[in-house]
């Protein structure tokens, strides 16, 4: 497996060491492989770690099978994939509600299996959505880029925004929930707000209010700063605004959980291009 990456016009002159460590966020173990095996070429020439690279330079990275053993999974149905962005390293798709992001059993088929069939090779989950939630999911197309995208996610450099149809009227147009979230000891499926939980930060913006057969409800935009399980669902329910159709936290039924990941934004780690992808949902267009 090898990759050819041309440094974009905006790339600042840097050493090879800084390119891998600071700009591309390549893990230490992978940097060690590339250096000891001399598997990094610049413009088809072997270089040392303190050599400089500039905008326009062609970087070649070479990996042996032992560096990245081939991982096999069951392939799903490529025609079920709604692809909104794809390049050599990553793919962003619009997940329908009712489909798992990844399988929990070896013989189970989920979105990851369908995306792998679409790409023609095993892909890797960068972040997941609950089965009941629709919207944008980011996958790595190779094991080299996976830890780099994971690092961007951990460093809060990947912005994820959701639409939710919440019960009642929110008192403020903009509010941030900072309640800690932990496991519910009485129901393993659920999470709850608890002082012993993990930090969880959700930014909420009121978009529109509705008076309908299910009473007053509010369409809100939710931006995650952290990524706890059921974070948006738990925060809204805790403050009296459970999401309509939530089977765990709401008493108001609907045909589906009214939560949709509608926007994903980040700077591409290799091209430095600002990527912003939006996904529509038929459930939120009515």
């Amino acid at each position: 497996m090898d990759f050819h990456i041309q440094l974009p016009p905006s790339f600042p002159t840097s050493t090879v060491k800084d390119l891998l460590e600071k700009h591309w966020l390549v893990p230490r173990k992978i940097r060690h492989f590339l250096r000891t095996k001399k598997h990094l070429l610049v413009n088809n020439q072997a270089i040392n770690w303190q050599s400089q690279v500039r905008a326009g330079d062609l970087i070649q990275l070479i990996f042996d099978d032992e560096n990245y053993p081939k991982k096999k999974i069951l392939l799903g149905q490529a025609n079920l994939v709604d692809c909104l962005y794809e390049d050599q390293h990553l793919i962003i798709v619009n997940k329908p509600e009712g489909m798992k992001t990844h399988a929990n059993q070896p013989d189970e088929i989920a979105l990851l299996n369908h995306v792998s069939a679409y790409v023609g090779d095993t892909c890797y989950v960068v972040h997941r959505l609950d089965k009941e939630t629709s919207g944008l999911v980011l996958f790595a197309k190779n094991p080299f880029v996976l830890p780099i995208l994971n690092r961007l996610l951990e460093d809060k450099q990947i912005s994820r925004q959701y639409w939710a149809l919440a019960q009642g009227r929110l008192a403020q147009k903009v509010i941030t929930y900072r309640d800690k979230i932990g496991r519910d000891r009485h129901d393993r499926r659920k999470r709850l707000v608890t002082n012993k939980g993990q930090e969880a930060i959700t930014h909420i913006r009121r978009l529109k209010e509705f008076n309908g057969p299910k009473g007053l409800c509010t369409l809100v935009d939710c931006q995650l700063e952290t990524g706890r399980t059921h974070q948006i669902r738990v925060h809204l329910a805790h403050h009296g605004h459970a999401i309509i159709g939530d089977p765990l936290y709401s008493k108001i039924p609907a045909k589906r959980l009214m939560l949709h990941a509608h926007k994903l934004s980040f700077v591409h780690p290799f091209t430095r291009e600002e990527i912003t992808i939006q996904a529509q949902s038929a459930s939120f267009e009515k």
Side-chain angles (χ1 to χ4, degrees), residues 24-266:
W24 286 357
L25 308 176
V26 176
R28 181 192 299 269
K29 181 179 179 181
I30 306 306
R31 300 199 307 268
H32 177 72
F33 288 155
L34 294 170
R35 184 172 187 176
T36 57
K37 295 183 178 183
K38 301 186 185 303
H39 278 187
L40 188 150
L41 306 179
V42 177
N43 300 323
N44 297 315
Q45 295 185 356
I47 41 75
N48 67 60
W49 239 230
Q50 295 305 319
S51 297
Q52 289 191 326
V53 290
R54 299 171 175 81
D57 283 346
L58 182 65
I59 312 299
Q60 182 179 3
L61 306 172
I62 304 166
F63 295 102
D64 299 328
D65 290 342
E66 63 193 57
N67 300 143
Y68 289 121
K70 202 72 173 175
K71 182 180 178 181
K72 291 287 187 180
I73 66 170
L74 294 175
L75 296 183
Q77 300 178 57
N79 64 315
L80 296 181
V81 175
D82 180 12
C83 176
L84 299 183
Y85 178 89
E86 182 182 9
D87 64 20
Q88 179 187 7
H89 298 284
L90 56 92
I91 180 171
I92 302 171
V93 306
N94 186 13
K95 184 184 88 67
E97 70 270 14
M99 181 184 291
K100 290 184 177 180
T101 302
H102 57 80
N104 296 323
Q105 303 296 331
D107 60 347
E108 192 176 10
I109 298 294
L111 180 64
L112 172 61
N113 307 84
H114 300 315
V115 171
S116 297
Y118 181 91
V119 169
D121 203 354
T122 300
C123 291
Y124 304 83
V125 177
V126 177
H127 70 96
R128 61 180 290 275
L129 294 179
D130 297 333
K131 178 180 178 181
E132 302 89 350
T133 304
S134 60
L136 296 170
V137 185
L138 171 63
F139 293 89
K141 291 177 65 175
N142 58 69
F144 168 64
V145 76
L146 178 62
I148 296 172
L149 295 173
N150 284 339
R151 175 75 177 275
L152 291 177
L153 192 66
E154 292 168 6
D155 291 348
K156 302 175 183 177
Q157 295 184 49
I158 297 179
S159 172
R160 293 170 289 160
Q161 291 180 240
Y162 295 71
W163 285 327
L165 192 60
Q167 182 180 349
R169 172 184 286 120
L170 275 72
Q172 297 171 256
K173 183 173 179 60
V174 177
I175 190 170
T176 297
Y177 295 140
R178 300 179 181 275
D179 316 278
K180 293 182 178 180
I181 293 176
R183 291 181 177 273
D184 187 331
R185 293 185 297 120
H186 304 291
D187 188 340
R188 60 183 299 180
R189 301 172 303 161
K190 300 175 69 174
R191 300 295 188 271
L192 48 69
V193 167
T194 170
N195 290 333
K196 295 181 179 179
Q198 295 178 296
E199 179 189 37
I201 302 173
T202 310
H203 304 288
I204 306 290
R205 181 166 57 93
R206 187 177 67 216
L207 298 177
K208 188 176 181 181
E209 292 182 349
F210 299 89
N211 252 317
K214 300 182 185 300
L216 180 66
C217 54
T218 305
L219 179 66
V220 294
D221 181 275
C222 311
Q223 183 166 355
L224 291 177
E225 195 169 318
T226 54
R228 308 304 171 206
T229 299
H230 296 178
Q231 180 173 317
I232 295 172
R233 299 165 67 179
V234 172
H235 271 167
L236 285 170
H238 179 74
H239 290 275
H241 303 293
I243 298 175
I244 304 297
D246 192 326
L248 294 179
Y249 306 103
S250 173
K251 295 181 180 180
I252 301 180
K255 62 181 180 180
R256 58 158 295 190
L257 168 69
M258 298 300 290
L259 180 63
H260 175 73
H262 80 97
K263 188 175 182 180
L264 191 65
S265 304
F266 60 96

